[in-house]
Amino acid sequence: MNALLRRFVELVEADLTAAGFVRRGLVFRHFHPEGNGIALDIQRTAALEGEVEFFINVGVLLAPHLRYFFGADDPLRDATPHHGVWRHRLVATDDGAAMPDHRFSLSAQADVERAAAVVRTWLARNLPRMESWLGDVEAMLAAIEEDRERAAQARAEQLASGRWRAGRWPDGTWSGAVIRAYAHAERGDVEAVAAETASWRVGGPDSLAADALAIAHRRRADRQG
């Protein structure tokens, strides 16, 4: 690992370890006992000689969704933000930047300190919020609605001003339909799962929709004894 990147990892790892994350390579993972969790990864990109460039991705992980991806394998070792029901790529620039950029670049020690400060500030602000979503579907659905309202307001402000206003848009992208489908499934509500997944483009016995339906049928059978 490049010395600059190694120092950056050391700086952010201190905060993440204190919050219960475990690092494996360039991926940090934090799980609750029931299997819901958060993953953060450092995604290297091509850079000029002597420089290090990367993205920081973060995702909130839903236990039954992970079981669909990993089956009998261990998501605690292999889950990434890509598997999340909420996914975000951190912005490397501050809120005052005219053109926000997601690419972190390191070519000197000062870059390392600045990049680590950006990430650590974001984590301090957002980790409690992400923690509050783990295992709480209603909290996630409420956050989806709040983000929808905030995005609508930001869009109206941008149209009115005629220019981009950094920092006004919600962080992250939600997979609300997946959250709702698995919530219905855990309650054994087969009909609600079928309605939620009816418009999904990918079908078949190995699809996400089929997995949610199978869980719903099992939960219904369990409840009926």
Side-chain angles (χ1 to χ4, degrees), residues 85-152:
V85 292
W86 180 86
R87 296 169 300 281
H88 178 58
R89 175 168 284 176
L90 272 63
V91 176
T93 51
D94 59 35
D95 288 349
M99 290 297 292
D101 188 2
H102 298 275
R103 192 185 304 266
F104 290 84
S105 298
L106 310 179
S107 58
Q109 186 60 36
D111 299 330
V112 174
E113 301 293 338
R114 187 199 67 79
V118 169
V119 175
R120 295 172 80 179
T121 298
W122 188 91
L123 289 171
R125 184 183 302 140
N126 290 279
L127 270 180
R129 180 171 63 116
M130 290 187 286
E131 278 275 4
S132 74
W133 297 335
L134 299 185
D136 191 336
V137 170
E138 294 306 319
M140 287 191 283
L141 294 177
I144 291 172
E145 186 57 34
E146 290 169 5
D147 281 0
R148 184 180 296 113
E149 293 174 358
R150 184 179 166 198

Short mmCIF file of all heavy atoms in Angstrom, two decimals, residues 85-152:
data_model
loop_
_atom_site.label_atom_id
_atom_site.label_comp_id
_atom_site.label_asym_id
_atom_site.label_seq_id
_atom_site.Cartn_x
_atom_site.Cartn_y
_atom_site.Cartn_z
N VAL A 85 -28.81 -1.12 0.92
CA VAL A 85 -30.12 -0.58 0.53
C VAL A 85 -30.10 0.95 0.61
O VAL A 85 -31.06 1.62 0.24
CB VAL A 85 -31.25 -1.14 1.41
CG1 VAL A 85 -31.45 -2.63 1.13
CG2 VAL A 85 -30.99 -0.90 2.90
N TRP A 86 -29.01 1.50 1.15
CA TRP A 86 -28.70 2.93 1.09
C TRP A 86 -27.23 3.02 0.73
O TRP A 86 -26.38 2.39 1.36
CB TRP A 86 -28.96 3.60 2.42
CG TRP A 86 -28.66 5.09 2.45
CD1 TRP A 86 -29.50 6.09 2.07
CD2 TRP A 86 -27.45 5.73 2.88
NE1 TRP A 86 -28.88 7.33 2.23
CE2 TRP A 86 -27.62 7.13 2.74
CE3 TRP A 86 -26.23 5.26 3.38
CZ2 TRP A 86 -26.63 8.06 3.07
CZ3 TRP A 86 -25.24 6.17 3.71
CH2 TRP A 86 -25.45 7.55 3.56
N ARG A 87 -26.92 3.78 -0.33
CA ARG A 87 -25.55 3.86 -0.82
C ARG A 87 -25.18 5.32 -1.04
O ARG A 87 -26.00 6.12 -1.51
CB ARG A 87 -25.39 3.08 -2.13
CG ARG A 87 -25.63 1.58 -1.98
CD ARG A 87 -25.72 0.88 -3.32
NE ARG A 87 -26.82 1.40 -4.13
CZ ARG A 87 -28.09 1.07 -3.97
NH1 ARG A 87 -28.44 0.24 -3.02
NH2 ARG A 87 -29.02 1.60 -4.74
N HIS A 88 -23.93 5.64 -0.73
CA HIS A 88 -23.48 7.03 -0.88
C HIS A 88 -21.99 7.04 -1.20
O HIS A 88 -21.23 6.20 -0.71
CB HIS A 88 -23.74 7.80 0.42
CG HIS A 88 -23.27 9.22 0.39
ND1 HIS A 88 -23.71 10.13 -0.56
CD2 HIS A 88 -22.40 9.90 1.18
CE1 HIS A 88 -23.14 11.30 -0.33
NE2 HIS A 88 -22.34 11.18 0.71
N ARG A 89 -21.62 8.00 -2.04
CA ARG A 89 -20.20 8.25 -2.31
C ARG A 89 -19.86 9.63 -1.74
O ARG A 89 -20.48 10.63 -2.12
CB ARG A 89 -19.92 8.20 -3.81
CG ARG A 89 -18.50 8.58 -4.19
CD ARG A 89 -18.20 8.22 -5.65
NE ARG A 89 -17.99 6.78 -5.78
CZ ARG A 89 -17.78 6.16 -6.95
NH1 ARG A 89 -17.82 6.86 -8.08
NH2 ARG A 89 -17.57 4.87 -7.00
N LEU A 90 -18.91 9.67 -0.82
CA LEU A 90 -18.59 10.91 -0.15
C LEU A 90 -18.04 11.95 -1.13
O LEU A 90 -17.36 11.60 -2.10
CB LEU A 90 -17.55 10.69 0.96
CG LEU A 90 -18.11 10.32 2.34
CD1 LEU A 90 -18.84 9.00 2.31
CD2 LEU A 90 -16.99 10.31 3.37
N VAL A 91 -18.34 13.20 -0.85
CA VAL A 91 -17.82 14.32 -1.63
C VAL A 91 -16.48 14.73 -1.03
O VAL A 91 -16.37 14.95 0.18
CB VAL A 91 -18.81 15.50 -1.62
CG1 VAL A 91 -18.22 16.70 -2.36
CG2 VAL A 91 -20.13 15.08 -2.27
N ALA A 92 -15.46 14.85 -1.88
CA ALA A 92 -14.12 15.17 -1.40
C ALA A 92 -13.92 16.66 -1.15
O ALA A 92 -13.02 17.05 -0.41
CB ALA A 92 -13.08 14.68 -2.42
N THR A 93 -14.76 17.49 -1.77
CA THR A 93 -14.66 18.93 -1.60
C THR A 93 -15.61 19.40 -0.50
O THR A 93 -16.51 18.68 -0.10
CB THR A 93 -15.01 19.65 -2.92
OG1 THR A 93 -16.25 19.14 -3.40
CG2 THR A 93 -13.94 19.41 -3.97
N ASP A 94 -15.42 20.62 -0.02
CA ASP A 94 -16.30 21.13 1.02
C ASP A 94 -17.57 21.70 0.41
O ASP A 94 -17.72 21.81 -0.81
CB ASP A 94 -15.59 22.18 1.89
CG ASP A 94 -15.10 23.38 1.09
OD1 ASP A 94 -15.78 23.78 0.12
OD2 ASP A 94 -14.04 23.93 1.44
N ASP A 95 -18.52 22.09 1.28
CA ASP A 95 -19.83 22.54 0.81
C ASP A 95 -19.77 23.82 -0.01
O ASP A 95 -20.70 24.13 -0.75
CB ASP A 95 -20.78 22.76 2.01
CG ASP A 95 -21.22 21.45 2.63
OD1 ASP A 95 -20.97 20.40 2.03
OD2 ASP A 95 -21.81 21.50 3.72
N GLY A 96 -18.68 24.58 0.11
CA GLY A 96 -18.58 25.83 -0.62
C GLY A 96 -18.05 25.69 -2.03
O GLY A 96 -17.98 26.68 -2.77
N ALA A 97 -17.67 24.47 -2.41
CA ALA A 97 -17.09 24.27 -3.74
C ALA A 97 -18.12 24.51 -4.84
O ALA A 97 -19.26 24.07 -4.73
CB ALA A 97 -16.52 22.85 -3.86
N ALA A 98 -17.69 25.20 -5.90
CA ALA A 98 -18.60 25.48 -7.01
C ALA A 98 -18.98 24.19 -7.74
O ALA A 98 -20.11 24.02 -8.18
CB ALA A 98 -17.96 26.47 -7.98
N MET A 99 -18.02 23.28 -7.87
CA MET A 99 -18.25 22.00 -8.54
C MET A 99 -17.80 20.88 -7.61
O MET A 99 -16.61 20.54 -7.57
CB MET A 99 -17.48 21.95 -9.86
CG MET A 99 -18.03 22.89 -10.93
SD MET A 99 -19.73 22.46 -11.43
CE MET A 99 -19.45 20.91 -12.26
N PRO A 100 -18.69 20.29 -6.84
CA PRO A 100 -18.31 19.22 -5.92
C PRO A 100 -17.66 18.05 -6.66
O PRO A 100 -18.06 17.70 -7.77
CB PRO A 100 -19.65 18.80 -5.31
CG PRO A 100 -20.53 20.01 -5.46
CD PRO A 100 -20.12 20.64 -6.75
N ASP A 101 -16.64 17.46 -6.04
CA ASP A 101 -15.90 16.37 -6.64
C ASP A 101 -15.86 15.20 -5.65
O ASP A 101 -15.66 15.41 -4.45
CB ASP A 101 -14.48 16.83 -6.97
CG ASP A 101 -13.71 15.80 -7.78
OD1 ASP A 101 -14.27 14.74 -8.11
OD2 ASP A 101 -12.52 16.05 -8.07
N HIS A 102 -16.04 14.00 -6.15
CA HIS A 102 -16.04 12.81 -5.30
C HIS A 102 -14.66 12.16 -5.21
O HIS A 102 -14.48 11.22 -4.44
CB HIS A 102 -17.03 11.77 -5.82
CG HIS A 102 -18.45 12.26 -5.81
ND1 HIS A 102 -19.26 12.18 -4.70
CD2 HIS A 102 -19.20 12.84 -6.78
CE1 HIS A 102 -20.45 12.68 -4.97
NE2 HIS A 102 -20.44 13.09 -6.22
N ARG A 103 -13.70 12.61 -5.98
CA ARG A 103 -12.40 11.95 -6.05
C ARG A 103 -11.42 12.57 -5.04
O ARG A 103 -11.13 13.76 -5.09
CB ARG A 103 -11.83 12.07 -7.46
CG ARG A 103 -10.63 11.18 -7.73
CD ARG A 103 -10.07 11.46 -9.11
NE ARG A 103 -11.07 11.30 -10.14
CZ ARG A 103 -11.27 10.17 -10.83
NH1 ARG A 103 -10.53 9.12 -10.59
NH2 ARG A 103 -12.20 10.11 -11.76
N PHE A 104 -10.93 11.73 -4.13
CA PHE A 104 -9.89 12.16 -3.20
C PHE A 104 -8.53 11.95 -3.86
O PHE A 104 -8.27 10.88 -4.42
CB PHE A 104 -9.96 11.35 -1.91
CG PHE A 104 -11.17 11.65 -1.06
CD1 PHE A 104 -12.39 11.01 -1.30
CD2 PHE A 104 -11.09 12.56 -0.01
CE1 PHE A 104 -13.49 11.29 -0.50
CE2 PHE A 104 -12.20 12.84 0.79
CZ PHE A 104 -13.41 12.20 0.53
N SER A 105 -7.64 12.95 -3.78
CA SER A 105 -6.32 12.87 -4.38
C SER A 105 -5.26 13.15 -3.32
O SER A 105 -5.35 14.14 -2.60
CB SER A 105 -6.17 13.87 -5.53
OG SER A 105 -7.09 13.60 -6.57
N LEU A 106 -4.25 12.28 -3.25
CA LEU A 106 -3.16 12.43 -2.30
C LEU A 106 -1.83 12.50 -3.05
O LEU A 106 -1.48 11.58 -3.79
CB LEU A 106 -3.11 11.25 -1.33
CG LEU A 106 -4.40 10.84 -0.62
CD1 LEU A 106 -4.14 9.62 0.27
CD2 LEU A 106 -4.98 11.98 0.18
N SER A 107 -1.10 13.59 -2.87
CA SER A 107 0.24 13.68 -3.44
C SER A 107 1.24 14.21 -2.42
O SER A 107 2.44 14.25 -2.67
CB SER A 107 0.26 14.57 -4.68
OG SER A 107 -0.21 15.88 -4.37
N ALA A 108 0.75 14.63 -1.24
CA ALA A 108 1.60 15.13 -0.17
C ALA A 108 0.91 14.89 1.16
O ALA A 108 -0.30 14.62 1.21
CB ALA A 108 1.87 16.63 -0.36
N GLN A 109 1.67 14.99 2.25
CA GLN A 109 1.11 14.74 3.57
C GLN A 109 -0.06 15.67 3.89
O GLN A 109 -1.02 15.27 4.55
CB GLN A 109 2.19 14.89 4.64
CG GLN A 109 1.75 14.50 6.04
CD GLN A 109 1.30 13.05 6.14
OE1 GLN A 109 1.86 12.17 5.49
NE2 GLN A 109 0.27 12.80 6.96
N ALA A 110 0.01 16.91 3.41
CA ALA A 110 -1.08 17.85 3.66
C ALA A 110 -2.39 17.35 3.05
O ALA A 110 -3.47 17.56 3.61
CB ALA A 110 -0.73 19.23 3.11
N ASP A 111 -2.30 16.70 1.89
CA ASP A 111 -3.50 16.14 1.26
C ASP A 111 -4.10 15.04 2.13
O ASP A 111 -5.33 14.90 2.23
CB ASP A 111 -3.16 15.56 -0.12
CG ASP A 111 -2.63 16.59 -1.08
OD1 ASP A 111 -3.01 17.77 -0.96
OD2 ASP A 111 -1.82 16.21 -1.96
N VAL A 112 -3.23 14.25 2.75
CA VAL A 112 -3.69 13.17 3.62
C VAL A 112 -4.48 13.73 4.79
O VAL A 112 -5.58 13.26 5.12
CB VAL A 112 -2.50 12.34 4.14
CG1 VAL A 112 -2.96 11.30 5.16
CG2 VAL A 112 -1.77 11.67 2.98
N GLU A 113 -3.92 14.75 5.43
CA GLU A 113 -4.58 15.35 6.59
C GLU A 113 -5.93 15.95 6.20
O GLU A 113 -6.92 15.80 6.93
CB GLU A 113 -3.68 16.43 7.20
CG GLU A 113 -2.32 15.92 7.65
CD GLU A 113 -2.38 14.97 8.82
OE1 GLU A 113 -3.39 15.00 9.56
OE2 GLU A 113 -1.43 14.18 9.01
N ARG A 114 -5.96 16.64 5.06
CA ARG A 114 -7.21 17.27 4.63
C ARG A 114 -8.26 16.22 4.29
O ARG A 114 -9.42 16.32 4.71
CB ARG A 114 -6.96 18.16 3.40
CG ARG A 114 -8.19 18.98 2.99
CD ARG A 114 -8.09 19.47 1.57
NE ARG A 114 -8.13 18.37 0.62
CZ ARG A 114 -9.24 17.75 0.24
NH1 ARG A 114 -10.42 18.12 0.75
NH2 ARG A 114 -9.19 16.77 -0.62
N ALA A 115 -7.87 15.18 3.53
CA ALA A 115 -8.81 14.13 3.14
C ALA A 115 -9.34 13.40 4.37
O ALA A 115 -10.55 13.12 4.48
CB ALA A 115 -8.14 13.14 2.19
N ALA A 116 -8.46 13.09 5.32
CA ALA A 116 -8.90 12.40 6.53
C ALA A 116 -9.86 13.27 7.33
O ALA A 116 -10.84 12.77 7.90
CB ALA A 116 -7.69 12.03 7.39
N ALA A 117 -9.61 14.58 7.38
CA ALA A 117 -10.50 15.48 8.10
C ALA A 117 -11.88 15.51 7.47
O ALA A 117 -12.90 15.52 8.17
CB ALA A 117 -9.91 16.89 8.13
N VAL A 118 -11.95 15.51 6.13
CA VAL A 118 -13.23 15.49 5.42
C VAL A 118 -14.01 14.23 5.78
O VAL A 118 -15.20 14.28 6.12
CB VAL A 118 -13.02 15.58 3.90
CG1 VAL A 118 -14.33 15.29 3.15
CG2 VAL A 118 -12.50 16.95 3.50
N VAL A 119 -13.35 13.08 5.72
CA VAL A 119 -14.02 11.80 5.98
C VAL A 119 -14.42 11.69 7.45
O VAL A 119 -15.55 11.28 7.77
CB VAL A 119 -13.11 10.63 5.57
CG1 VAL A 119 -13.75 9.29 5.96
CG2 VAL A 119 -12.85 10.66 4.07
N ARG A 120 -13.54 12.07 8.35
CA ARG A 120 -13.84 11.96 9.78
C ARG A 120 -14.98 12.90 10.18
O ARG A 120 -15.82 12.54 11.01
CB ARG A 120 -12.58 12.24 10.60
CG ARG A 120 -11.49 11.20 10.37
CD ARG A 120 -10.19 11.58 11.02
NE ARG A 120 -10.19 11.27 12.44
CZ ARG A 120 -9.14 11.50 13.23
NH1 ARG A 120 -8.03 12.02 12.74
NH2 ARG A 120 -9.21 11.18 14.51
N THR A 121 -15.03 14.08 9.58
CA THR A 121 -16.14 15.01 9.84
C THR A 121 -17.45 14.42 9.36
O THR A 121 -18.48 14.48 10.04
CB THR A 121 -15.87 16.37 9.17
OG1 THR A 121 -14.68 16.94 9.73
CG2 THR A 121 -17.05 17.32 9.39
N TRP A 122 -17.42 13.84 8.16
CA TRP A 122 -18.64 13.23 7.61
C TRP A 122 -19.10 12.07 8.50
O TRP A 122 -20.30 11.93 8.79
CB TRP A 122 -18.39 12.74 6.19
CG TRP A 122 -19.65 12.28 5.51
CD1 TRP A 122 -20.49 13.03 4.74
CD2 TRP A 122 -20.23 10.96 5.57
NE1 TRP A 122 -21.55 12.27 4.32
CE2 TRP A 122 -21.43 11.01 4.80
CE3 TRP A 122 -19.85 9.78 6.18
CZ2 TRP A 122 -22.24 9.89 4.65
CZ3 TRP A 122 -20.67 8.67 6.03
CH2 TRP A 122 -21.85 8.72 5.27
N LEU A 123 -18.16 11.25 8.95
CA LEU A 123 -18.52 10.12 9.79
C LEU A 123 -19.12 10.58 11.12
O LEU A 123 -20.12 10.02 11.58
CB LEU A 123 -17.28 9.26 10.06
CG LEU A 123 -16.74 8.46 8.88
CD1 LEU A 123 -15.39 7.84 9.22
CD2 LEU A 123 -17.72 7.38 8.44
N ALA A 124 -18.52 11.59 11.73
CA ALA A 124 -19.04 12.09 13.01
C ALA A 124 -20.47 12.59 12.86
O ALA A 124 -21.31 12.41 13.76
CB ALA A 124 -18.14 13.20 13.53
N ARG A 125 -20.77 13.17 11.70
CA ARG A 125 -22.10 13.72 11.47
C ARG A 125 -23.11 12.64 11.09
O ARG A 125 -24.30 12.75 11.42
CB ARG A 125 -22.01 14.77 10.35
CG ARG A 125 -23.31 15.51 10.05
CD ARG A 125 -23.11 16.45 8.89
NE ARG A 125 -22.06 17.42 9.17
CZ ARG A 125 -21.16 17.83 8.27
NH1 ARG A 125 -21.16 17.34 7.06
NH2 ARG A 125 -20.25 18.72 8.62
N ASN A 126 -22.66 11.60 10.40
CA ASN A 126 -23.60 10.67 9.78
C ASN A 126 -23.66 9.27 10.38
O ASN A 126 -24.66 8.57 10.19
CB ASN A 126 -23.30 10.55 8.28
CG ASN A 126 -23.64 11.81 7.52
OD1 ASN A 126 -24.79 12.04 7.18
ND2 ASN A 126 -22.64 12.65 7.28
N LEU A 127 -22.63 8.82 11.08
CA LEU A 127 -22.67 7.47 11.65
C LEU A 127 -23.85 7.27 12.61
O LEU A 127 -24.52 6.23 12.54
CB LEU A 127 -21.36 7.13 12.34
CG LEU A 127 -20.27 6.48 11.48
CD1 LEU A 127 -19.03 6.21 12.32
CD2 LEU A 127 -20.77 5.19 10.84
N PRO A 128 -24.14 8.22 13.50
CA PRO A 128 -25.31 8.01 14.38
C PRO A 128 -26.60 7.84 13.60
O PRO A 128 -27.47 7.03 13.98
CB PRO A 128 -25.32 9.29 15.23
CG PRO A 128 -23.91 9.77 15.23
CD PRO A 128 -23.40 9.45 13.85
N ARG A 129 -26.75 8.60 12.53
CA ARG A 129 -27.96 8.49 11.71
C ARG A 129 -28.05 7.10 11.07
O ARG A 129 -29.10 6.45 11.09
CB ARG A 129 -27.93 9.58 10.63
CG ARG A 129 -29.12 9.61 9.69
CD ARG A 129 -29.08 10.85 8.84
NE ARG A 129 -27.91 10.89 7.98
CZ ARG A 129 -27.97 10.87 6.64
NH1 ARG A 129 -29.14 10.82 6.03
NH2 ARG A 129 -26.88 10.92 5.93
N MET A 130 -26.93 6.62 10.52
CA MET A 130 -26.94 5.29 9.90
C MET A 130 -27.18 4.20 10.94
O MET A 130 -27.91 3.23 10.68
CB MET A 130 -25.63 5.06 9.16
CG MET A 130 -25.48 5.91 7.90
SD MET A 130 -24.03 5.48 6.92
CE MET A 130 -22.72 6.19 7.92
N GLU A 131 -26.58 4.35 12.10
CA GLU A 131 -26.80 3.38 13.18
C GLU A 131 -28.28 3.29 13.53
O GLU A 131 -28.80 2.21 13.83
CB GLU A 131 -26.00 3.78 14.41
CG GLU A 131 -24.54 3.36 14.38
CD GLU A 131 -24.34 1.94 14.87
OE1 GLU A 131 -25.34 1.25 15.16
OE2 GLU A 131 -23.18 1.52 14.96
N SER A 132 -28.96 4.43 13.52
CA SER A 132 -30.38 4.45 13.91
C SER A 132 -31.26 3.70 12.92
O SER A 132 -32.38 3.33 13.25
CB SER A 132 -30.87 5.89 14.05
OG SER A 132 -31.03 6.52 12.78
N TRP A 133 -30.76 3.49 11.70
CA TRP A 133 -31.55 2.77 10.71
C TRP A 133 -31.44 1.25 10.85
O TRP A 133 -32.30 0.52 10.35
CB TRP A 133 -31.09 3.14 9.30
CG TRP A 133 -31.29 4.58 8.94
CD1 TRP A 133 -32.19 5.45 9.48
CD2 TRP A 133 -30.55 5.34 7.97
NE1 TRP A 133 -32.06 6.69 8.90
CE2 TRP A 133 -31.07 6.66 7.98
CE3 TRP A 133 -29.50 5.02 7.10
CZ2 TRP A 133 -30.57 7.66 7.14
CZ3 TRP A 133 -29.00 6.02 6.27
CH2 TRP A 133 -29.54 7.32 6.29
N LEU A 134 -30.37 0.76 11.46
CA LEU A 134 -30.10 -0.68 11.46
C LEU A 134 -31.18 -1.44 12.23
O LEU A 134 -31.38 -1.22 13.42
CB LEU A 134 -28.72 -0.96 12.08
CG LEU A 134 -27.53 -0.35 11.34
CD1 LEU A 134 -26.23 -0.82 11.97
CD2 LEU A 134 -27.56 -0.68 9.85
N GLY A 135 -31.87 -2.31 11.52
CA GLY A 135 -32.92 -3.11 12.13
C GLY A 135 -34.23 -2.38 12.34
O GLY A 135 -35.17 -2.94 12.89
N ASP A 136 -34.32 -1.13 11.90
CA ASP A 136 -35.53 -0.33 12.11
C ASP A 136 -36.07 0.12 10.75
O ASP A 136 -35.71 1.17 10.23
CB ASP A 136 -35.22 0.89 12.97
CG ASP A 136 -36.47 1.61 13.46
OD1 ASP A 136 -37.52 1.49 12.80
OD2 ASP A 136 -36.40 2.32 14.48
N VAL A 137 -36.95 -0.69 10.19
CA VAL A 137 -37.49 -0.41 8.86
C VAL A 137 -38.27 0.89 8.85
O VAL A 137 -38.18 1.69 7.90
CB VAL A 137 -38.39 -1.58 8.39
CG1 VAL A 137 -39.15 -1.19 7.13
CG2 VAL A 137 -37.56 -2.82 8.13
N GLU A 138 -39.03 1.14 9.90
CA GLU A 138 -39.82 2.37 9.95
C GLU A 138 -38.92 3.60 9.93
O GLU A 138 -39.25 4.62 9.30
CB GLU A 138 -40.72 2.38 11.19
CG GLU A 138 -41.80 1.31 11.17
CD GLU A 138 -42.66 1.36 9.92
OE1 GLU A 138 -43.02 2.47 9.48
OE2 GLU A 138 -42.98 0.29 9.38
N ALA A 139 -37.78 3.52 10.61
CA ALA A 139 -36.84 4.64 10.60
C ALA A 139 -36.28 4.86 9.20
O ALA A 139 -36.11 6.00 8.75
CB ALA A 139 -35.71 4.40 11.59
N MET A 140 -36.00 3.77 8.49
CA MET A 140 -35.49 3.90 7.13
C MET A 140 -36.54 4.49 6.20
O MET A 140 -36.24 5.37 5.38
CB MET A 140 -35.01 2.54 6.60
CG MET A 140 -33.71 2.08 7.23
SD MET A 140 -32.97 0.65 6.39
CE MET A 140 -34.02 -0.66 7.01
N LEU A 141 -37.77 4.04 6.32
CA LEU A 141 -38.84 4.56 5.47
C LEU A 141 -39.09 6.04 5.76
O LEU A 141 -39.36 6.83 4.85
CB LEU A 141 -40.11 3.74 5.66
CG LEU A 141 -40.03 2.28 5.19
CD1 LEU A 141 -41.33 1.56 5.50
CD2 LEU A 141 -39.71 2.19 3.70
N ALA A 142 -38.99 6.43 7.03
CA ALA A 142 -39.14 7.84 7.39
C ALA A 142 -38.01 8.67 6.79
O ALA A 142 -38.22 9.79 6.30
CB ALA A 142 -39.18 8.00 8.91
N ALA A 143 -36.80 8.12 6.81
CA ALA A 143 -35.65 8.82 6.23
C ALA A 143 -35.81 8.98 4.72
O ALA A 143 -35.43 10.00 4.15
CB ALA A 143 -34.36 8.07 6.56
N ILE A 144 -36.37 7.96 4.07
CA ILE A 144 -36.62 8.06 2.63
C ILE A 144 -37.56 9.22 2.34
O ILE A 144 -37.33 10.01 1.41
CB ILE A 144 -37.21 6.73 2.09
CG1 ILE A 144 -36.16 5.62 2.14
CG2 ILE A 144 -37.74 6.91 0.67
CD1 ILE A 144 -36.70 4.25 1.81
N GLU A 145 -38.60 9.34 3.12
CA GLU A 145 -39.56 10.43 2.91
C GLU A 145 -38.93 11.79 3.19
O GLU A 145 -39.14 12.75 2.45
CB GLU A 145 -40.79 10.22 3.81
CG GLU A 145 -41.91 11.23 3.56
CD GLU A 145 -42.39 11.23 2.12
OE1 GLU A 145 -42.39 10.17 1.47
OE2 GLU A 145 -42.75 12.33 1.63
N GLU A 146 -38.13 11.88 4.24
CA GLU A 146 -37.44 13.13 4.55
C GLU A 146 -36.49 13.52 3.42
O GLU A 146 -36.42 14.70 3.04
CB GLU A 146 -36.67 12.98 5.86
CG GLU A 146 -37.54 12.89 7.10
CD GLU A 146 -36.75 12.48 8.33
OE1 GLU A 146 -35.50 12.38 8.22
OE2 GLU A 146 -37.37 12.28 9.38
N ASP A 147 -35.78 12.54 2.88
CA ASP A 147 -34.86 12.82 1.78
C ASP A 147 -35.62 13.27 0.53
O ASP A 147 -35.16 14.14 -0.22
CB ASP A 147 -34.02 11.59 1.45
CG ASP A 147 -32.87 11.40 2.43
OD1 ASP A 147 -32.72 12.24 3.34
OD2 ASP A 147 -32.11 10.43 2.28
N ARG A 148 -36.79 12.67 0.30
CA ARG A 148 -37.60 13.06 -0.86
C ARG A 148 -38.03 14.52 -0.74
O ARG A 148 -37.96 15.29 -1.71
CB ARG A 148 -38.81 12.14 -0.98
CG ARG A 148 -39.66 12.42 -2.22
CD ARG A 148 -40.85 11.50 -2.30
NE ARG A 148 -40.44 10.11 -2.46
CZ ARG A 148 -40.62 9.15 -1.57
NH1 ARG A 148 -41.20 9.43 -0.41
NH2 ARG A 148 -40.21 7.92 -1.79
N GLU A 149 -38.46 14.90 0.46
CA GLU A 149 -38.89 16.28 0.67
C GLU A 149 -37.72 17.25 0.55
O GLU A 149 -37.84 18.34 -0.03
CB GLU A 149 -39.53 16.41 2.06
CG GLU A 149 -40.86 15.66 2.17
CD GLU A 149 -41.41 15.68 3.58
OE1 GLU A 149 -40.74 16.25 4.48
OE2 GLU A 149 -42.50 15.11 3.80
N ARG A 150 -36.57 16.86 1.08
CA ARG A 150 -35.38 17.72 1.00
C ARG A 150 -34.92 17.89 -0.44
O ARG A 150 -34.52 18.97 -0.86
CB ARG A 150 -34.26 17.13 1.85
CG ARG A 150 -33.02 18.01 1.91
CD ARG A 150 -31.96 17.38 2.78
NE ARG A 150 -30.69 18.04 2.59
CZ ARG A 150 -29.51 17.51 2.94
NH1 ARG A 150 -29.47 16.32 3.48
NH2 ARG A 150 -28.39 18.17 2.73
N ALA A 151 -34.97 16.81 -1.22
CA ALA A 151 -34.57 16.88 -2.63
C ALA A 151 -35.51 17.80 -3.41
O ALA A 151 -35.06 18.57 -4.26
CB ALA A 151 -34.56 15.48 -3.24
N ALA A 152 -36.81 17.71 -3.12
CA ALA A 152 -37.77 18.57 -3.81
C ALA A 152 -37.50 20.04 -3.49
O ALA A 152 -37.55 20.91 -4.37
CB ALA A 152 -39.19 18.20 -3.41
#
